[in-house]
Amino acid sequence: MNILFATTEAVPFCKTGGLGDVCGSLPKALAGLGQSPTIIMPAFRQAIESGCPLETTGTTFEIPIGQKQVVGQLLRSQLPDSDVPVYLIEQADYFDRAQLYGENGDDYQDNCERFVFFCRSVLAVIESLDLQFDVLHCHDWCTALLPAYLQTLYSDRAPWNRLASLYTIHNLAYQGNFWHWDMALTGMDWKYFNWRQMEFYGNLNFMKTGIAFADTVSTVSPTYAQEIMRPPLSCGLEGTLQHRREDLFGILNGADYDEWNPSTDRYLGADIYDVASVETGKLVCKARLQREMGLHEDPDVPLLAVVGRLADQKGFDLIARVMQKWVEREGAQWVILGTGDAKYHQVLGQLAAENPQKVAVRLEFSNELAHRIEAGADMFLMPSQYEPCGLNQLYSLKYGTIPVVRATGGLADTVVDSNPQSLAKGKATGFCFAEYTSLALSDTLQRACAFFADKTIWRQLIKTGMKQDWSWSRSAGKYIELYEQTRARHRQEVLN
Ligand code: ADP
């Protein structure tokens, strides 16, 4: 099958979160299973500066945006270590900016226009490429108009009318909501601006549009697929989602073990380790991390880590409250890497400044450091309010770093709480709690620290986690099945 991935992020071109990991690794896994994926994405400044070789194709196109015509051009590259072609839409006014979606906590004012342009460029490019695509796989709100265009403006013409669409929700909370007059930018008829399709409380809603129009819809874990059917995690879209419940699927993300593997990790240098050498290997990585972060070098103190967007979603209010208590009395070290909301920059920065012996905070985006934290930490905290899938817990399991998570979304699907039964069966891999409170997080951390002190049990937890396979080999095949189903549904719709 020829599958076109329309996305705004793909590692190593650009990434702000899990979307980038998924769109950089799933196509490789699909190619390994005999499929023919192609990626198309905006030529953001990050992608231009990523070091990936880019070439011009000579293809230019003109896109109607409201009353004006905007010119773009097509660049070509390739996903490293694969044959997967990557096309990039270059339009400097829209995409040559400091960030992908906004700066200093504010979205770019013209985001609607930017991503209308991107979506219509994708459709223009489909016509100019020789390849006949079978499925257009769209990712998150920035690409969500594509299924709508296929069903409306482009429905009666080749090559678009044969193209089936799958829309994957990576995070339902980021919807792309714009004032209703932006509808004019889309070029679509106002008749679609209704409560079943594109309109949401008087606004134009991209996420709703994608869900309403795609042949099939998926999200990134089975539990999140259930959770988004009801408030609060439905984020107001429960009606639309319930209407599509027969067409909604939950497929767990995979980890890219070419990138995230302690036995080959290029960011660990000589300190790589595997399941056989984990005990000494982790001690070396832990000591190195403690030195790098300016913490006291001590193998016996539990080293707790967090890497992620500093957003409410990730539970940083709980983390900050627990840290405030723990730095006073508990013997633990904290390493935090993240960027995001100013309030968390402030509170975490202050905690680090006041407790340099126990807390190290890096308010930046550093892939290298993220890898060394996974290798050097004892525990990895993800007390998320909600978590569509979560990737860091999968990386943690691979690195023998015990995840401490709130049992929601993909975290509930991938981490097994340590209790007498799960331990006896050899299935325990981490620590889970249900209630979203700092007390529950603190209690669970205390439970984890008690286990940490028992080297035999801790070793068992580490080894059970490291031996698991959370690579795409579990899930890529499920996507292929879903692509087939998506095509079948599309053919059915065309016949009707
Ligand atoms: P989300 O997509 O909601 O941000 P995920 O857990 O699915 O969360 O994926 C986050 C990805 O982004 C992981 O690969 C994580 O390591 C990475 N990441 C997040 N923040 C940072 C940061 N400050 N530095 C390096 N990597 C980061």
Side-chain angles (χ1 to χ4, degrees):
M1 253 180 302
N2 290 323
I3 305 134
L4 182 60
F5 272 65
T7 178
T8 47
E9 302 183 26
V11 167
F13 293 89
C14 59
K15 155 175 168 177
T16 67
L19 174 65
D21 291 302
V22 171
C23 290
S25 55
L26 174 57
K28 274 197 285 180
L30 290 168
L33 293 173
Q35 307 299 317
S36 301
T38 299
I39 297 174
I40 186 159
M41 61 192 296
F44 288 122
R45 187 184 298 171
Q46 265 195 29
I48 305 269
E49 294 176 352
S50 64
C52 300
L54 303 172
E55 58 191 50
T56 51
T57 59
T59 302
T60 59
F61 39 83
E62 231 181 56
I63 303 295
I65 300 286
Q67 300 300 315
K68 60 182 177 185
Q69 298 286 325
V70 180
V71 177
Q73 70 157 324
L74 190 65
L75 308 179
R76 192 180 196 283
S77 185
Q78 203 157 317
L79 213 52
D81 309 319
S82 80
D83 295 330
V84 177
V86 179
Y87 289 97
L88 299 103
I89 306 288
E90 187 171 47
Q91 212 302 323
D93 290 341
Y94 290 142
F95 303 134
D96 185 14
R97 300 188 186 180
Q99 301 292 331
L100 272 54
Y101 313 114
E103 284 172 53
N104 305 320
D106 293 322
D107 289 344
Y108 290 126
Q109 294 273 317
D110 58 349
N111 269 353
C112 181
E113 183 173 335
R114 297 169 79 218
F115 295 111
V116 166
F117 175 82
F118 175 62
C119 289
R120 296 201 76 165
S121 301
V122 171
L123 296 166
V125 167
I126 285 171
E127 195 183 23
S128 71
L129 293 178
D130 281 344
L131 269 175
Q132 282 240 325
F133 293 107
D134 301 300
V135 179
L136 178 58
H137 188 172
C138 308
H139 297 267
D140 267 354
W141 74 263
C142 297
T143 64
L145 292 188
L146 279 163
Y149 282 130
L150 288 179
Q151 299 261 9
T152 58
L153 285 180
Y154 295 76
S155 65
D156 57 352
R157 279 174 291 160
W160 302 284
N161 53 358
R162 68 184 297 278
L163 197 56
S165 63
L166 165 62
Y167 177 60
T168 296
I169 303 165
H170 293 259
N171 192 331
L172 189 66
Y174 297 88
Q175 298 190 352
N177 238 322
F178 304 99
W179 77 322
H180 63 285
W181 287 118
D182 278 351
M183 188 67 194
L185 298 174
T186 66
M188 287 179 65
D189 196 299
W190 278 94
K191 74 180 179 198
Y192 300 111
F193 192 73
N194 65 68
W195 67 275
R196 278 191 178 277
Q197 292 176 306
M198 300 178 82
E199 183 267 347
F200 183 68
Y201 294 99
N203 286 324
L204 165 62
N205 185 306
F206 275 41
M207 176 67 79
K208 180 170 181 173
T209 303
I211 298 167
F213 281 96
D215 292 312
T216 51
V217 180
S218 76
T219 187
V220 290
S221 69
T223 295
Y224 191 60
Q226 296 299 317
E227 289 172 338
I228 58 175
M229 287 290 174
R230 287 175 302 279
L233 296 191
S234 54
C235 302
L237 292 179
E238 55 278 0
T240 312
L241 285 160
Q242 278 167 20
H243 188 68
R244 298 298 317 263
R245 70 177 335 131
E246 298 295 316
D247 310 310
L248 175 69
F249 302 84
I251 301 179
L252 202 65
N253 284 337
D256 181 355
Y257 290 152
D258 289 340
E259 275 298 308
W260 294 91
N261 187 338
S263 63
T264 54
D265 193 323
R266 66 199 127 146
Y267 303 113
L268 301 186
D271 302 337
I272 51 175
Y273 60 90
D274 60 13
V275 68
S277 60
V278 58
E279 277 160 80
T280 47
K282 262 196 101 61
L283 281 179
V284 173
C285 290
K286 179 172 177 178
R288 177 173 167 183
L289 182 63
Q290 286 169 325
R291 280 197 303 277
E292 180 175 355
M293 303 302 280
L295 295 168
H296 178 58
E297 219 179 296
D298 180 349
D300 295 323
V301 63
L303 178 47
L304 318 181
V306 189
V307 178
R309 288 182 292 115
L310 302 185
D312 292 339
Q313 178 205 336
K314 299 291 178 183
F316 276 99
D317 54 339
L318 304 192
I319 292 170
R321 248 175 281 153
V322 169
M323 282 173 79
Q324 267 148 1
K325 289 226 169 79
W326 275 49
V327 286
E328 282 165 22
R329 48 189 171 86
E330 307 288 344
Q333 292 177 339
W334 299 79
V335 168
I336 315 257
L337 169 65
T339 57
D341 292 358
K343 63 182 176 190
Y344 295 123
H345 281 227
Q346 199 270 330
V347 66
L348 294 170
Q350 191 174 338
L351 272 163
E354 288 169 0
N355 306 278
Q357 306 291 323
K358 290 188 171 178
V359 180
V361 172
R362 295 285 183 275
L363 301 170
E364 59 181 303
F365 194 98
S366 166
N367 188 39
E368 277 186 54
L369 184 54
H371 281 251
R372 285 200 292 276
I373 290 175
E374 285 289 7
D378 294 306
M379 298 173 212
F380 196 100
L381 275 53
M382 297 180 76
S384 305
Q385 280 176 5
Y386 68 94
E387 196 59 74
C389 176
L391 290 168
N392 277 312
Q393 81 280 14
L394 305 183
Y395 305 151
S396 299
L397 290 168
K398 188 74 180 167
Y399 282 71
T401 304
I402 305 303
V404 178
V405 306
R406 179 153 176 268
T408 178
L411 298 172
D413 291 335
T414 54
V415 180
V416 179
D417 186 50
S418 302
N419 57 43
Q421 294 79 16
S422 62
L423 282 165
K425 287 188 193 145
K427 294 206 178 302
T429 56
F431 297 87
C432 306
F433 63 98
E435 265 186 51
Y436 188 80
T437 61
S438 55
L439 187 64
L441 171 59
S442 184
D443 284 353
T444 309
L445 276 177
Q446 238 145 12
R447 190 156 62 90
C449 287
F451 276 73
F452 176 75
D454 182 331
K455 295 286 174 248
T456 314
I457 293 193
W458 199 253
R459 195 179 313 126
Q460 181 189 332
L461 286 183
I462 287 179
K463 296 206 167 184
T464 308
M466 285 183 84
K467 283 183 195 155
Q468 293 189 332
D469 181 1
W470 294 103
S471 69
W472 278 108
S473 62
R474 302 167 75 107
S475 300
K478 293 194 179 146
Y479 270 108
I480 296 173
E481 279 168 30
L482 182 52
Y483 294 142
E484 293 290 8
Q485 254 174 296
T486 306
R487 291 177 76 189
R489 273 171 217 226
H490 184 68
R491 281 193 291 266
Q492 199 60 43
E493 278 160 29
V494 172
L495 287 177
N496 291 337

